[in-house]
Amino acid sequence: MPELPEVETIKSQLSEFLPLEVQSISFSDKTSRLIKQSDFIPQTNEIIREFSRKGKFLIFKFDNPDHFIISHLGMSGSWRISPIKLDAIEGKHAHVVIVTNKKVLSYIDPRRFGKIYFLNKLNFDKKMSESPMDISEPGFDAQHIHSIFKKFPNKTLKTFLLDQKYFSGVGNYIASEICARAKLVPTKLTGKLSQKDCLNIKAAIDLIILGAIKTQGTTFGGGYRDAFGEKGEGVQHLVVFHQDICQMCNKNKVIKSVLGGRGTYHCPKCQK
Ligand SMILES: [Zn+2]
């Protein structure tokens, strides 16, 4: 599933082609589940000036100050940039196709759990104000993390890390990796975490996000593709997730369990 590093990768790759002038936009006949709001539809000659990211949202900003697209990639979504329209095979799951003066942007989503909003300024500001600070923002420090845990002391650490209201941008593989790098067992109760644990969690977040962005995101068997249709190489940096042997101690077998309905990985020796 595309998480913060994957969305950041797509954002950076699309940004290389800015500005983009829209020539046409078309939709597949299966977009009713994907398109959540249509305050406007981009017109011919409209300029896409900027791509940005907040949490797992990819944001398109236009020269028209009243036009914004917010895209959440769901389970299997991706924005592909290609010289010409994708062929029938590659474009099979292309649900929104924006032809521009330079490249073709296609929103591809085989499972259609993504969400796309075409918003005016008022609704865009509203949506952004509802969206919490994400884990890569400077204010998201150890103290902030500690204050969240103090407020919710009876949560299971790894499951709570997936709560987008508090840990915006974290998904399943990142949550397992945060626990591992911070040397904390995933089932740890949040109320038991010290200030020092929170410093370790913050350091783990920074390390994982930076590492994953550098390798253009992380792809698990047949999943995420970046804006050029390539797999991310971030899987090389994982220490427990989808690993047999813990990559921190290089010795102990990683334990796979199910926590809150999600696959969870940890090292029984490194994590306490
Ligand atoms: Zn280990």
Side-chain angles (χ1 to χ4, degrees):
M1 191 201 293
E3 302 182 19
L4 189 153
E6 289 73 40
V7 181
E8 181 68 25
T9 298
I10 291 174
K11 183 210 87 180
S12 308
Q13 293 176 333
L14 296 181
S15 298
E16 287 170 30
F17 299 96
L18 287 169
L20 290 163
E21 186 179 323
V22 175
Q23 291 181 338
S24 66
I25 181 164
S26 55
F27 300 91
S28 79
D29 53 9
K30 295 196 181 101
T31 50
S32 57
R33 191 162 105 189
L34 286 168
I35 296 184
K36 300 293 175 191
Q37 202 166 338
S38 301
D39 295 340
F40 80 102
I41 292 297
Q43 300 296 308
T44 305
N45 302 330
E46 272 213 54
I47 305 285
I48 305 172
R49 184 61 65 182
E50 189 187 333
F51 295 100
S52 62
R53 179 193 59 75
K54 181 147 174 105
K56 296 188 205 173
F57 286 139
L58 177 67
I59 299 160
F60 294 45
K61 292 181 179 165
F62 290 81
D63 267 2
N64 184 328
D66 204 33
H67 288 180
F68 299 86
I69 298 175
I70 296 181
S71 169
H72 185 288
L73 304 175
M75 299 291 283
S76 59
S78 149
W79 281 91
R80 186 77 59 83
I81 197 147
S82 54
I84 52 168
K85 274 195 188 175
L86 298 172
D87 62 28
I89 299 163
E90 274 210 292
K92 189 176 168 211
H93 299 289
H95 297 298
V96 180
V97 177
I98 305 175
V99 178
T100 75
N101 59 329
K102 293 174 192 160
K103 298 277 179 182
V104 179
L105 302 184
S106 308
Y107 178 71
I108 297 179
D109 194 346
R111 297 177 67 181
R112 284 183 286 132
F113 285 110
K115 298 185 183 95
I116 302 179
Y117 306 81
F118 293 86
L119 300 178
N120 61 31
K121 174 95 170 89
L122 189 74
N123 289 328
F124 173 75
D125 288 345
K126 190 162 165 263
K127 187 105 192 123
M128 283 296 104
S129 68
E130 292 162 359
S131 140
M133 172 160 60
D134 86 46
I135 56 161
S136 68
E137 288 180 50
F140 202 95
D141 56 15
Q143 207 173 349
H144 177 72
I145 296 168
H146 202 214
S147 69
I148 300 171
F149 292 154
K150 273 206 246 166
K151 218 158 127 191
F152 301 97
N154 297 315
K155 303 271 188 187
T156 302
L157 174 62
K158 193 253 170 175
T159 308
F160 192 40
L161 288 173
L162 294 172
D163 190 327
Q164 295 303 297
K165 280 201 291 294
Y166 303 101
F167 298 93
S168 171
V170 174
N172 198 40
Y173 88 82
I174 294 180
S176 270
E177 289 290 303
I178 291 173
C179 295
R181 298 271 191 185
K183 306 279 162 88
L184 296 164
V185 67
T187 48
K188 190 105 178 172
L189 272 188
T190 46
K192 296 233 153 82
L193 294 164
S194 66
Q195 187 84 38
K196 185 161 176 286
D197 291 328
C198 295
L199 279 167
N200 292 336
I201 289 172
K202 168 63 182 161
I205 289 174
D206 290 349
L207 194 72
I208 294 160
I209 298 293
L210 198 72
I213 291 172
K214 268 197 198 145
T215 49
Q216 323 272 292
T218 300
T219 302
F220 304 103
Y224 155 84
R225 293 287 188 280
D226 69 15
F228 302 115
E230 302 291 333
K231 291 183 181 185
E233 299 295 334
V235 75
Q236 298 164 3
H237 290 283
L238 303 176
V239 289
V240 290
F241 197 83
H242 278 208
Q243 305 296 312
D244 288 325
I245 301 293
C246 165
Q247 301 297 304
M248 296 183 290
C249 60
N250 286 312
K251 200 165 74 193
N252 292 288
K253 216 169 155 40
V254 168
I255 294 179
K256 186 184 176 190
S257 55
V258 177
L259 207 57
R262 307 295 302 275
T264 300
Y265 297 75
H266 82 280
C267 173
K269 287 280 166 354
C270 295
Q271 295 174 247
K272 299 290 174 198

